Amino acid sequence: MSEQRTTQSSAIIGALRQQLNSQTLAAGNKLPAERELADLFDTTRITVKEALHHLEAEGLIYREERRGWFVSRPRLVYNPVSRSHFHALVAAQQRVATTRVLSCETVLAPAELVSDMALAPLSRLTRICRLRSIDRRPVLYTEHYLIPEYFPAIGEQDLSQSLTRLYEHQYGLRYGRSRFDICPTAARGEAARALSLAEGSPVLAVTRINYDQQGRIIDCDREIWRHDAVRIRIDSQEPAFSG
Amino acid sequence: MSEQRTTQSSAIIGALRQQLNSQTLAAGNKLPAERELADLFDTTRITVKEALHHLEAEGLIYREERRGWFVSRPRLVYNPVSRSHFHALVAAQQRVATTRVLSCETVLAPAELVSDMALAPLSRLTRICRLRSIDRRPVLYTEHYLIPEYFPAIGEQDLSQSLTRLYEHQYGLRYGRSRFDICPTAARGEAARALSLAEGSPVLAVTRINYDQQGRIIDCDREIWRHDAVRIRIDSQEPAFSG
DNA sequence: GAGTGGTCTAGACCACCTT
DNA sequence: AGGTGGTCTAGACCACTCG
């Protein structure tokens, strides 16, 4: 029944958790350096890291590469099904959103998308990469893959706005049904760098395949969320077998 | 543009990833012991652990406490909105499901549920804890909190079956709407022990508040999934602002 | 240049699982 | 009893960020 063996690292976790709960360490604050914490708790950096990784996994703190550890802010409540615009959603939760366009180019369709989007082999897609921040902290890296035929000259548009809105106003395309995949995994490559995450940090990947109102696939988007920055909330009105 | 600095740990990650892709290490296999890997790659256990944690975060391998590291099986594709029964869902994906009832007792309502479920302070709830496995591997720990008045003598029922079915057939209660929260976090306490996860391992928490067809809250359930065992898939038929 | 985390060495003892 | 991961020591150098 031992609720928790008191290891050194769990003692550190407990102490920090208390400081976090009592707001002594408030959202956005920087934690003391790992070496400083090691001195404070009279142990080594490895043990301190162990404790920090634990709190990171819980989402209470986060890292920025070589900058230090920080106290997480409340998670954004996000409903991928409702398609609310990112900036509006963030504003509604009293936070400040920014979007930075990283790139927009034509690329060979990645192998997994060829099958997911039912493309001809060696198809080309327009890829738009963006980085979105809340309160100046990067929390979401997105890649949109568009069928080029439907979106001529999209590179000349303002891509920092809602793409959903752009699709509709500029190209007359509205979403019909979509398929979402939500998958906990690890940050790698471009996404890790953009989010200033260490390779292998836990993230939440949301992949969406979008159809228009005629049932044609029009694009696919991959969202990589910092795992501690988001909570997905979905309201279902009627269960599948109620009728 | 350095795609990946070649640290020792990334070399180990690469080597293991290759073995995993080529099925040399096939799903369910046990990896060599950490000490053995350290010898193999001529490094220390800490560096090996670093690499293993990385692959664990990606969901390619998993740990069982003090038993070793194993190759993950394909993720279960799960749609929480559709409410399909766990055993049926798993069988449809050519896997074998088992359910073990851990406990069923009356408890004081946890503080967060008092507000989420709009209960009177110090209310009592019936809590049912279960552990569900796929192909003999525990992957899902669930806690159901029921309003006791609606479910008299539920402790005498067979609780290893679908509770949804039991609600309907035994108590005449059918779900109306529900609210889901999906949140990546870390395993703690009872859930960690039941899933034989180390405290702090990443998990996916799915919390659901269920209303019946008259709009009364009837129960709340918390699901803790091993993060590498599941992929959530939701098909949306009509976006919120299409009509 | 100072400070930070990222990586790494070469060990050690302990708690728990398997046989 | 022997093997495994869990925890820990006491350092070290490197790469990157920031002022």
Side-chain angles (χ1 to χ4, degrees):
Chain A
M1 239 332 52
S2 70
E3 183 51 45
Q4 176 103 321
R5 277 191 337 286
T6 46
T7 61
Q8 287 201 53
S9 118
S10 74
I12 300 175
I13 292 169
L16 289 178
R17 202 195 297 283
Q18 206 161 21
Q19 302 278 308
L20 293 167
N21 284 339
S22 69
Q23 311 272 327
T24 311
L25 284 170
N29 286 176
K30 185 172 181 310
L31 269 65
E34 292 181 358
R35 288 169 178 80
E36 208 171 318
L37 288 170
D39 280 353
L40 214 59
F41 290 102
D42 195 30
T43 181
T44 61
R45 263 181 81 201
I46 291 195
T47 304
V48 166
K49 278 167 106 65
E50 189 60 32
L52 293 172
H53 281 298
H54 187 120
L55 294 170
E56 180 191 37
E58 257 181 80
L60 297 175
I61 63 176
Y62 66 94
R63 250 181 303 181
E64 289 187 17
E65 278 246 343
R66 288 174 229 271
R67 291 199 55 240
W69 293 87
F70 301 84
V71 180
S72 300
R73 290 169 189 270
R75 294 172 188 260
L76 183 75
V77 177
Y78 170 50
N79 183 343
V81 178
S82 81
R83 301 195 166 292
S84 48
H85 303 146
F86 180 76
H87 288 254
L89 180 69
V90 172
Q93 294 177 41
Q94 282 78 54
R95 318 281 285 277
V96 177
T98 51
T99 298
R100 190 153 63 85
V101 179
L102 302 178
S103 68
C104 172
E105 49 197 352
T106 303
V107 298
L108 202 62
E112 66 280 18
L113 288 188
V114 170
S115 63
D116 282 355
M117 295 177 73
L119 301 172
L122 302 179
S123 295
R124 297 190 76 80
L125 293 170
T126 304
R127 185 184 64 192
I128 301 171
C129 299
R130 305 189 296 175
L131 182 66
R132 307 193 115 168
S133 303
I134 301 179
D135 297 343
R136 321 195 64 174
R137 177 190 174 207
V139 295
L140 169 62
Y141 169 82
T142 67
E143 293 179 349
H144 284 253
Y145 291 90
L146 322 191
I147 307 278
E149 291 73 41
Y150 299 159
F151 302 98
I154 196 166
E156 292 153 27
Q157 304 290 331
D158 169 18
L159 299 176
S160 67
Q161 64 172 305
S162 155
L163 291 183
T164 307
R165 179 177 293 153
L166 185 64
Y167 290 1
E168 180 165 351
H169 291 182
Q170 202 60 228
Y171 298 96
L173 285 171
R174 301 175 86 176
Y175 285 139
R177 71 182 187 86
S178 297
R179 196 184 78 188
F180 304 85
D181 265 17
I182 302 170
C183 186
T185 181
R188 295 181 59 188
E190 199 53 50
R193 274 191 292 278
L195 292 168
S196 100
L197 282 171
E199 288 269 333
S201 303
V203 294
L204 197 66
V206 180
T207 305
R208 178 155 54 185
I209 297 178
N210 298 305
Y211 299 77
D212 71 2
Q213 298 194 307
Q214 277 76 53
R216 301 177 302 187
I217 292 180
I218 55 175
D219 78 336
C220 165
D221 72 85
R222 298 208 275 215
E223 301 179 347
I224 308 290
W225 289 86
R226 292 181 81 127
H227 84 294
D228 63 322
V230 70
R231 166 196 305 280
I232 290 185
R233 173 166 297 174
I234 298 172
D235 284 283
S236 88
Q237 294 308 319
E238 32 172 352
F241 63 94
S242 82
Chain B
M1 235 332 55
S2 69
E3 183 51 45
Q4 176 104 321
R5 278 190 337 285
T6 47
T7 60
Q8 288 203 51
S9 115
S10 74
I12 300 174
I13 291 169
L16 290 178
R17 203 196 296 284
Q18 206 162 20
Q19 303 279 308
L20 292 167
N21 284 339
S22 69
Q23 309 272 325
T24 313
L25 283 171
N29 285 176
K30 186 174 180 311
L31 270 66
E34 292 181 0
R35 286 169 179 81
E36 210 172 315
L37 288 170
D39 279 353
L40 213 58
F41 290 101
D42 196 28
T43 181
T44 60
R45 265 182 78 202
I46 289 194
T47 303
V48 167
K49 278 167 105 64
E50 189 61 30
L52 293 172
H53 281 298
H54 187 119
L55 294 170
E56 179 191 39
E58 257 182 80
L60 297 175
I61 62 175
Y62 66 94
R63 250 180 305 179
E64 289 187 18
E65 277 246 341
R66 286 173 227 275
R67 290 197 57 241
W69 293 87
F70 300 85
V71 181
S72 300
R73 291 167 188 271
R75 293 172 188 262
L76 183 75
V77 177
Y78 170 50
N79 183 342
V81 178
S82 83
R83 303 194 165 293
S84 49
H85 302 145
F86 180 76
H87 287 255
L89 180 70
V90 173
Q93 295 177 40
Q94 283 76 52
R95 316 281 286 277
V96 178
T98 51
T99 298
R100 191 154 62 84
V101 179
L102 302 177
S103 67
C104 171
E105 50 197 351
T106 303
V107 298
L108 202 60
E112 67 282 17
L113 288 188
V114 170
S115 63
D116 283 354
M117 296 177 71
L119 301 171
L122 302 179
S123 294
R124 298 189 77 80
L125 292 171
T126 303
R127 185 185 65 195
I128 301 172
C129 298
R130 306 189 295 175
L131 183 65
R132 305 191 119 170
S133 302
I134 300 178
D135 297 342
R136 319 196 62 174
R137 176 187 175 212
V139 295
L140 169 61
Y141 169 81
T142 67
E143 294 180 348
H144 285 253
Y145 290 89
L146 322 189
I147 308 277
E149 292 74 43
Y150 299 157
F151 302 98
I154 196 166
E156 292 153 26
Q157 303 289 334
D158 170 17
L159 298 176
S160 67
Q161 64 172 305
S162 155
L163 291 184
T164 307
R165 180 178 291 152
L166 185 64
Y167 290 1
E168 180 167 353
H169 291 183
Q170 202 60 230
Y171 297 97
L173 284 170
R174 301 175 86 176
Y175 285 137
R177 72 184 187 85
S178 296
R179 196 184 78 188
F180 303 84
D181 265 17
I182 302 171
C183 186
T185 182
R188 295 180 59 187
E190 198 55 50
R193 275 190 293 278
L195 292 167
S196 101
L197 283 171
E199 289 269 333
S201 303
V203 293
L204 196 67
V206 180
T207 305
R208 178 154 55 184
I209 297 177
N210 299 303
Y211 298 75
D212 70 4
Q213 298 193 307
Q214 278 77 54
R216 301 177 301 188
I217 292 180
I218 55 176
D219 77 336
C220 164
D221 72 85
R222 299 208 275 216
E223 302 179 348
I224 308 289
W225 290 86
R226 290 181 82 128
H227 84 294
D228 63 322
V230 71
R231 166 196 306 281
I232 289 185
R233 173 167 295 176
I234 297 171
D235 284 282
S236 87
Q237 294 308 320
E238 30 171 355
F241 63 96
S242 81

